[in-house]
Amino acid sequence: MSAPAKEKAVTGIEQLEAEAIHVLREVAGEFDRPALLFSGGKDSTVLVHLAVRAFAPVAPPFTLVHVDTGHNFPEVLQFRDDIVERFGLRLHVAEVQDWIDRGAVQERQDGMRNPLQTVPLLDTITDEKFDAVIGGGRRDEERSRAKERIFSVRDSFGRWDPRRQRVELWNLYNGMHSPGEHVRVFPISNWTELDVWRYVEARDIELPSLYFAHQREVYLRDGMWLTAGQWGGPGDDEETVEKTVRYRTVGDGSCTGAVESDAATVADIIAEIKASRLTERGASRADDRMSEAAMEDRKREGYF
């Protein structure tokens, strides 16, 4: 291959981008009321940027949905709102606290609210009559997500049955579903954490400051560095210390841990991930440690 030809060769990142944009356009073509789950985390932020590129110069035809546990990091919520305003998008927020106040869900003894998101999410899908819900799940995150197709049907109760997976050949996706059912869609299913960061670098995508190394007061619980907050900590026997940390995921503060790191730039983070032997969820998510099949059990009940 000549030097000019090499310069024009399509990269792996560009191939993944093209696949994701194709999937997003398929959703817009096949469904009447699609929505996109947006938490302000890196995966859903990449999804928003892909959707903007897919439908430019008009706004993406998706309502953004965030299930706010009430334990989210304030800087991530501000970032979420800034993105919505910057791109002129619609945002629907389901507050878990509203479901707690009316007794639809109950606080857990361990204080974690991530597992409480399922009922608010399913109620929102039903009430808003969403027929497709786009998420940032990736197959490399953990084993149950590895079982998902890109188009994944949920029954009339919002439940996922891995035995009902449809065959997906080439780039053909089947969005057919019965009344009451809906389809979860994962456009970046084939991406890895490293792919996400390479795309962030290539497209110069802004992310919440939590992802980059910074000084923070944290305390150690079950092998994870947690931030003090209204979600219940530190306890009487837990000492707060100041450390240089960053977050690999930015979910609910009650179950999302920081990792010790000096990676302050995207290039630093890419180098750090290349050397790491742990996935971001294995390194920093307590809710995935509850049991061997914790995530799969929640997905069967209707969770993300």
Side-chain angles (χ1 to χ4, degrees):
M1 184 181 293
S2 64
K6 285 183 179 178
E7 291 178 2
K8 294 179 181 178
V10 177
T11 68
I13 289 297
E14 289 170 335
Q15 289 176 326
L16 290 171
E17 179 187 59
E19 179 190 55
I21 286 176
H22 171 71
V23 170
L24 290 167
R25 288 172 176 167
E26 281 289 302
V27 173
E30 289 195 37
F31 297 93
D32 296 324
R33 285 185 61 80
L36 190 154
L37 297 175
F38 178 56
S39 64
K42 65 182 187 308
D43 299 318
S44 61
T45 298
V46 163
L47 274 183
V48 168
H49 280 264
L50 286 164
V52 169
R53 291 178 70 84
F55 299 98
V58 300
F62 310 128
T63 296
L64 303 189
V65 173
H66 182 210
V67 180
D68 185 348
T69 66
H71 290 174
N72 294 104
F73 294 94
E75 47 268 70
V76 177
L77 295 179
Q78 183 61 57
F79 175 82
R80 176 200 68 185
D81 294 341
D82 290 345
I83 287 288
V84 169
E85 182 177 356
R86 182 189 308 172
F87 293 115
L89 304 172
R90 302 182 302 275
L91 174 66
H92 181 100
V93 179
E95 305 275 1
V96 169
Q97 187 64 51
D98 291 342
W99 274 259
I100 294 173
D101 290 345
R102 59 176 182 259
V105 297
Q106 293 183 334
E107 292 273 22
R108 296 165 52 92
Q109 289 187 344
D110 59 16
M112 285 194 289
R113 284 192 171 181
N114 259 8
L116 305 185
Q117 294 180 85
T118 300
V119 174
L121 173 60
L122 293 179
D123 285 352
T124 299
I125 291 171
T126 300
D127 294 345
E128 297 297 320
K129 296 181 172 52
F130 294 130
D131 52 1
V133 181
I134 304 163
R138 309 189 323 266
R139 290 191 172 116
D140 75 320
E141 291 182 84
E142 51 80 46
R143 65 189 69 183
S144 73
R145 298 190 185 207
K147 296 180 181 179
E148 291 265 26
R149 304 289 193 211
I150 291 178
F151 276 35
S152 186
V153 176
R154 300 299 198 262
D155 68 15
S156 57
F157 297 100
R159 296 175 304 199
W160 173 61
D161 184 347
R163 295 166 298 186
R164 291 186 64 203
Q165 298 283 314
R166 293 168 173 170
V167 173
E168 291 179 340
L169 300 176
W170 302 285
N171 60 351
L172 302 176
Y173 304 107
N174 184 353
M176 293 187 64
H177 58 284
S178 301
E181 295 181 337
H182 68 274
V183 176
R184 304 286 176 92
V185 182
F186 305 102
I188 61 170
S189 185
N190 290 329
W191 297 40
T192 65
E193 182 188 17
L194 186 57
D195 293 328
V196 170
W197 280 103
R198 283 174 168 159
Y199 190 73
V200 166
E201 181 180 55
R203 298 302 182 203
D204 193 23
I205 294 173
E206 182 183 357
L207 291 175
S209 58
L210 286 178
Y211 279 112
F212 302 94
H214 57 286
Q215 289 284 312
R216 197 176 191 90
E217 286 195 345
V218 292
Y219 62 95
L220 191 62
R221 177 180 291 177
D222 297 330
M224 292 197 311
W225 292 109
L226 299 178
T227 296
Q230 59 178 322
W231 38 80
D236 294 337
D237 58 343
E238 294 168 326
E239 180 184 2
T240 300
V241 296
E242 186 168 282
K243 285 189 170 292
T244 302
V245 299
R246 75 176 192 87
Y247 284 81
R248 291 178 68 176
T249 67
V250 294
D252 188 277
S254 60
C255 62
T256 305
V259 295
E260 294 184 69
S261 170
D262 294 319
T265 68
V266 173
D268 294 340
I269 291 171
I270 289 174
E272 183 180 85
I273 294 171
K274 285 181 177 178
S276 176
R277 296 179 60 192
L278 288 174
T279 68
E280 71 263 44
R281 298 193 71 89
S284 61
R285 295 298 288 266
D287 51 338
D288 285 353
R289 299 179 179 182
M290 291 189 294
S291 74
E292 280 289 314
M295 178 60 79
E296 181 157 339
D297 289 344
R298 276 181 287 158
K299 288 176 76 69
R300 285 176 182 268
E301 294 167 358
Y303 181 65
F304 170 76

